[in-house]
């Protein structure tokens, strides 16, 4: 079977909706597949991989999606999977192709099982909401479909103008600027209603700062704001900050182009260097460019890639399925300073 982009995205989606083994078999039967042909061992991601392989072999992928939709009728990923035109949720580079992933250690697994105090002051929530306002969705028109990512407004020094940061692999060519919208407030309120969002275009006359995927994987530009409306969303202040193994991180993102979400549970740093921060957390395609925060809501990295657990790694608890990597904010700050001086 040729493992297509659509199947890769479905694998992520289904494992995200149902990260536990229990219950997957009912969808297999509902789709007209034979459970005896499915490998029900390993992580939820592995099981869904086996299910999708069998469904594709028998021409029943849409039947499987429809079966899951019966329980998740408004899920945008599943709905788009039945459409001829697809949204490209998988912009991020493959983790194993752009980095050297350090295996998860036993002491990290002990932290994952909550053998540490994770209580935080209630102000943590309010500060997170304030930071979230600066996070926006990147939407790039590509023919009849869209490519999606995330990013954020930031300021480095008090005298700097507010600019927008995302990944190089999300957007790096000025020729695509006219096809791009940066959307803020694309989220639900506390009553579950959609907020009024606002989109902005990119100022093609202002400098574009870029660093390739193999380096810092970052793209920085300025948004058009003739009516001074961006001030409503504030900005994230960048400063150099340390991050260590077994620290906790939180990611505010637009996974798959969906409304704004936060990955708040089970997020732990497994390894860090001067260039990268590696962590276990929940992300999906479209999360690329998201700010990665520590527990003080300082930005420690910009998320740029993810992947499934390796077979040779220690078995993770059932709710953990993703290994992820961000580019450390410290070398990005040095890069911005150096590039700004040459402009």
């Amino acid at each position: 079977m040729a493992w297509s982009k659509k199947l890769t995205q479905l694998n992520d989606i289904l494992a995200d909706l149902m990260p536990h083994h229990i219950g997957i078999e009912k969808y297999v039967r509902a789709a007209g597949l034979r459970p005896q042909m499915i490998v029900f061992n390993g992580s939820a991601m592995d099981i869904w991989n086996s299910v999708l392989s069998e469904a594709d072999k028998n021409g029943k992928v849409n039947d499987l999606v429809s079966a899951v939709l019966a329980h998740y009728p408004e899920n945008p990923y599943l709905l788009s999977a039945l459409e001829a035109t697809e949204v490209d949720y998988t912009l991020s580079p493959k983790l194993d192709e752009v980095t050297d992933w350090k295996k998860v250690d036993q002491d990290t697994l002990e932290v994952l099982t909550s053998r540490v105090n994770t209580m935080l002051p209630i102000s943590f929530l309010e500060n997170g909401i304030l930071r979230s306002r600066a996070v926006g969705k990147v939407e790039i028109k590509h023919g009849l479909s869209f490519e999606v990512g995330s990013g954020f407004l930031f300021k480095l020094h008090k005298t700097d103008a507010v600019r927008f940061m995302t990944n190089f692999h999300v957007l790096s060519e000025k020729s695509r600027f006219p096809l791009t919208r940066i959307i803020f407030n694309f989220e639900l309120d506390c009553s579950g209603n959609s907020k009024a969002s606002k989109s902005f275009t990119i100022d093609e006359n202002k400098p574009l700062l870029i660093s390739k995927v193999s380096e810092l994987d970052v793209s920085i530009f300025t948004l058009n704001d003739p009516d001074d409306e961006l001030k409503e969303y504030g900005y994230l202040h960048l400063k150099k900050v340390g991050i260590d193994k077994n620290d906790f991180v939180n990611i505010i993102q637009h996974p798959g182009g969906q409304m704004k979400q936060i990955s708040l549970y089970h997020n732990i740093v497994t390894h860090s260097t001067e260039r990268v921060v590696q962590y276990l957390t929940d992300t999906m395609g479209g999360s690329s460019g998201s700010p990665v925060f520590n527990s003080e809501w300082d930005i420690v990295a910009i998320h740029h890639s993810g992947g499934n657990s390796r077979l040779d790694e220690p078995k993770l608890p059932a709710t953990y399925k993703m290994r992820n990597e961000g580019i450390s904010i410290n070398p990005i700050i040095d890069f911005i300073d150096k590039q700004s001086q040459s402009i």
Side-chain angles (χ1 to χ4, degrees), residues 90-146:
T90 55
L91 284 174
S92 62
K94 294 181 179 179
L95 182 58
D96 291 324
E97 294 179 358
V98 297
T99 195
D100 179 21
W101 172 263
K102 185 173 176 62
K103 295 179 182 179
V104 177
D105 294 328
Q106 186 61 41
D107 61 337
T108 297
L109 293 180
E110 292 178 1
V111 175
L112 281 174
T113 55
S114 299
R115 295 185 182 180
V116 297
N117 186 344
T118 57
M119 289 189 292
L120 293 165
I122 196 65
S123 59
F124 173 84
L125 300 176
E126 184 176 1
N127 286 327
I129 291 295
L130 291 174
R131 301 297 196 281
S132 75
R133 298 183 60 78
V135 179
K137 172 186 173 182
V138 180
E139 184 177 271
I140 308 165
K141 188 169 179 58
H142 183 72
L144 298 177
S145 62
F146 292 93

Side-chain angles (χ1 to χ4, degrees), residues 32-306:
L33 299 172
R34 294 178 295 171
Q36 60 267 35
M37 302 302 295
I38 309 299
V39 177
F40 284 94
N41 295 324
S43 67
M45 188 74 76
D46 296 331
I47 297 174
W48 279 115
N49 185 291
S50 178
V51 172
L52 284 167
S53 296
E54 184 67 15
D56 185 66
K57 184 170 65 177
N58 290 278
K60 291 184 175 291
V61 172
N62 283 355
D63 293 328
L64 178 65
V65 173
S66 296
V68 181
L69 266 171
H71 291 85
Y72 301 93
E74 297 182 0
N75 186 280
Y77 299 112
L78 297 177
L79 291 170
S80 70
L82 296 178
E83 299 292 333
T85 300
E86 299 179 24
V87 175
D88 187 355
Y89 297 139
T90 55
L91 284 174
S92 62
K94 294 181 179 179
L95 182 58
D96 291 324
E97 294 179 358
V98 297
T99 195
D100 179 21
W101 172 263
K102 185 173 176 62
K103 295 179 182 179
V104 177
D105 294 328
Q106 186 61 41
D107 61 337
T108 297
L109 293 180
E110 292 178 1
V111 175
L112 281 174
T113 55
S114 299
R115 295 185 182 180
V116 297
N117 186 344
T118 57
M119 289 189 292
L120 293 165
I122 196 65
S123 59
F124 173 84
L125 300 176
E126 184 176 1
N127 286 327
I129 291 295
L130 291 174
R131 301 297 196 281
S132 75
R133 298 183 60 78
V135 179
K137 172 186 173 182
V138 180
E139 184 177 271
I140 308 165
K141 188 169 179 58
H142 183 72
L144 298 177
S145 62
F146 292 93
E147 295 176 350
V148 292
S150 302
F152 54 93
L153 294 167
F154 77 93
K155 208 180 213 186
L156 182 52
H157 304 294
K158 290 183 179 179
T159 55
D160 283 345
V162 174
R163 289 175 286 182
F164 189 85
M165 182 186 300
T166 188
N167 286 137
F168 176 93
H169 74 258
V170 172
L171 180 62
S172 60
E173 300 173 2
K174 280 196 170 184
S175 62
R176 306 187 78 192
F177 282 4
L179 306 174
T180 303
R181 297 190 306 157
I182 309 299
I183 307 169
F184 294 95
N185 237 26
F186 185 55
E187 58 190 271
L188 299 176
D189 63 19
C190 58
S191 299
N193 299 314
S194 301
K195 291 185 177 181
S197 60
K198 175 71 176 179
S199 63
F200 295 82
T201 56
I202 301 173
D203 189 338
E204 300 179 51
N205 298 315
K206 294 290 178 64
L208 167 65
L209 307 183
I210 55 174
S211 178
K212 296 183 295 184
V213 174
S214 59
E215 296 171 354
L216 299 178
D217 194 10
V218 71
S219 180
I220 295 167
F221 43 81
T222 302
L223 303 183
N224 286 311
D225 185 24
D227 299 318
D228 199 26
E229 296 177 288
L230 278 174
K231 64 182 181 183
E232 177 182 346
Y233 307 105
Y235 59 85
L236 302 176
H237 177 67
L238 301 191
K239 64 179 182 179
K240 291 193 174 183
V241 61
I243 187 75
D244 295 316
K245 176 184 170 184
N246 292 344
D247 284 350
F248 291 96
V249 290
N250 311 293
I251 306 177
I252 298 176
Q253 56 191 296
H254 284 278
Q258 286 192 112
M259 289 186 170
K260 190 180 297 174
Q261 298 182 30
I262 182 169
S263 182
L264 195 61
Y265 303 139
H266 305 159
N267 305 324
I268 189 168
V269 173
T270 60
H271 178 63
S272 67
T273 68
E274 290 184 358
R275 177 179 175 267
V276 301
V277 181
Q278 296 175 344
Y279 38 90
L280 300 175
T281 186
D282 285 329
T283 61
M284 297 185 72
S287 299
S288 291
S290 301
V292 181
F293 299 93
N294 62 15
S295 295
E296 301 296 324
W297 290 110
D298 299 318
I299 296 182
V300 298
I302 177 172
H303 175 72
H304 88 128
S305 188

